[in-house]
């Protein structure tokens, strides 16, 4: 998938959400967070509830088929939008205050607390796509997370971008995007066909020329970072043709989760008979039979499915306190 294949708005393949129920949750600062819940009729304290954290400026509806899949396999699921996006947008974004920190520290935290309240006693797991993997480490309640699966998760640090695409990506996301944002007071992504409209503070975070989260304009100081609170079993999935999710980018984020047992699984499109997957396609229903079972197996057991064809030779293991790298 190339950089122009990023989904905009709600894809045509997104289901009607008939199996889900909408909700509105208020973050600690009072901002309403909208989303959807897939809930089984009978409660079971052993059944996980999975929170899906979206990528930057993707609507939670993009993940509805994946949520359907998890629900059909016996899990409860929560999807939601960060403030300023989709179900959590309230009016114009011009002058609207929101940042990556707000999305994780306030919005994700509110959903974790909702999961604890709505599904008392059940394990809480997280699936995080792109920035959603970072958000999984920012909530104050991170210690309650049992397992995490991230896909293409990283900080959007430009030096970590794929070498052959780096300068084109730098021009698009780090020159054009902030310039348009400065002119409009927010990033009008829907009009440009570049994801959803995005708050200016999020664009500033994206475009800070540093690899470290805590030095972003809205980041917390190193001593306040909550990543270390997370003690979850963490599977990071990266794709070899994802220009954002390179090995350097993936393992940079993994290094923050220093209290977690970490496994990095790197997948090439040819491993599953495809020419390309890229940064966005993992959650498309065409990969339900080949890629989705990897995440499901981890959420169910904390282990990789050993019978997943073409995957095993390309493992990268990271276990605290030091990171080791194997495979391609």
């Amino acid at each position: 998938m190339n950089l122009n294949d990023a989904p905009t708005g709600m894809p045509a393949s997104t289901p009607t959400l008939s199996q889900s129920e909408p909700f509105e949750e208020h973050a600690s600062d009072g901002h309403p967070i909208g989303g959807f819940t897939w809930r089984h009729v009978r409660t079971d304290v052993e059944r996980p509830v999975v929170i899906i954290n979206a990528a930057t400026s993707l609507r939670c509806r993009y993940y509805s088929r994946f949520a359907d899949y998890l629900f059909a396999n016996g899990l409860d699921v929560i999807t939601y939008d960060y403030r300023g996006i989709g179900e959590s947008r309230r009016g114009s974004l011009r002058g609207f205050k929101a940042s990556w920190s707000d999305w994780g520290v306030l919005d994700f935290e509110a959903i974790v607390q909702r999961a604890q309240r709505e599904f008392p006693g059940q394990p809480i797991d997280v699936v995080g796509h792109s920035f959603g993997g970072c958000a999984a480490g920012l909530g104050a309640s991170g210690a309650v997370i049992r397992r995490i699966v991230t896909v293409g998760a990283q900080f959007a640090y430009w030096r970590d971008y794929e070498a052959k695409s780096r300068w084109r990506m730098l021009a698009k996301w780090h020159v054009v995007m902030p310039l348009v944002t400065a002119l409009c007071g927010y990033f009008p992504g829907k009009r440009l066909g570049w994801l959803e409209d995005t708050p200016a503070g999020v664009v500033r975070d994206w475009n800070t020329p540093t690899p470290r989260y805590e030095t972003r304009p809205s980041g917390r100081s190193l001593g306040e970072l909550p990543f270390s609170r997370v003690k979850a079993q963490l599977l990071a999935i990266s794709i070899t043709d994802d220009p954002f999710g390179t090995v350097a980018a993936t393992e940079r984020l993994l290094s923050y989760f220093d209290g977690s047992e970490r496994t990095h699984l790197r997948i090439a499109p040819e491993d599953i008979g495809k020419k390309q997957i890229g940064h966005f396609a993992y959650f498309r229903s065409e990969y339900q039979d080949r890629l989705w079972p990897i995440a499901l197996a981890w959420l169910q057991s904390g282990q990789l499915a050993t019978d997943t064809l073409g995957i095993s030779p390309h493992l990268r293991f990271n276990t605290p306190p030091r990171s080791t790298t194997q495979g391609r």
Side-chain angles (χ1 to χ4, degrees), residues 104-291:
V105 175
L106 297 174
D107 301 349
F108 172 64
E109 173 63 17
I111 300 304
V112 173
Q113 292 186 21
R114 178 180 179 84
Q116 291 179 284
R117 185 179 68 250
E118 295 289 315
F119 300 90
Q122 293 182 223
I124 297 176
D125 296 341
V126 176
V127 173
H129 180 205
S130 195
F131 167 76
C134 174
L138 296 179
S141 299
V144 307
I145 302 172
R146 183 187 64 158
R147 293 178 185 138
I148 300 174
V149 176
T150 67
V151 178
Q154 32 65 47
F155 281 119
Y157 175 48
W158 71 274
R159 290 185 183 275
D160 287 342
Y161 292 161
E162 178 186 59
K164 67 180 181 181
S165 305
R166 184 174 299 144
W167 297 110
R168 179 161 53 95
M169 294 171 69
L170 185 67
K172 180 175 182 176
W173 301 110
H174 298 263
V175 177
V176 176
M177 188 182 195
L179 284 175
V180 172
T181 300
L183 288 172
C184 298
Y186 70 101
F187 181 67
K190 294 179 74 171
R191 264 184 285 168
L192 296 174
W194 297 9
L195 310 177
E196 292 289 311
D197 295 347
T198 306
V202 172
V203 175
R204 284 195 297 272
D205 281 351
W206 188 328
N207 284 280
T208 300
T210 172
R212 302 189 65 81
Y213 168 80
E214 67 273 12
T215 55
R216 303 290 168 114
S218 59
R220 271 57 177 169
S221 68
L222 185 60
E224 297 171 336
L225 283 174
F227 289 87
S228 295
R229 299 175 188 169
V230 179
K231 309 298 181 184
Q233 293 174 296
L234 194 162
L235 171 64
I237 298 173
S238 66
I239 311 296
T240 58
D241 70 330
D242 176 358
F244 292 98
T246 61
V247 171
T250 302
E251 297 197 348
R252 190 182 301 282
L253 177 58
L254 281 177
S255 70
Y256 279 73
F257 288 93
D258 57 1
S260 297
E261 178 185 340
R262 294 154 287 174
T263 300
H264 181 182
L265 174 62
R266 189 147 176 88
I267 302 171
E270 55 265 29
D271 292 338
I272 58 170
K274 295 290 185 178
K275 292 183 179 180
Q276 59 182 19
I277 300 173
H279 188 62
F280 297 97
Y282 183 98
F283 295 96
R284 291 184 174 178
S285 55
E286 65 185 280
Y287 296 106
Q288 176 172 328
D289 295 332
R290 302 305 304 273
L291 295 180

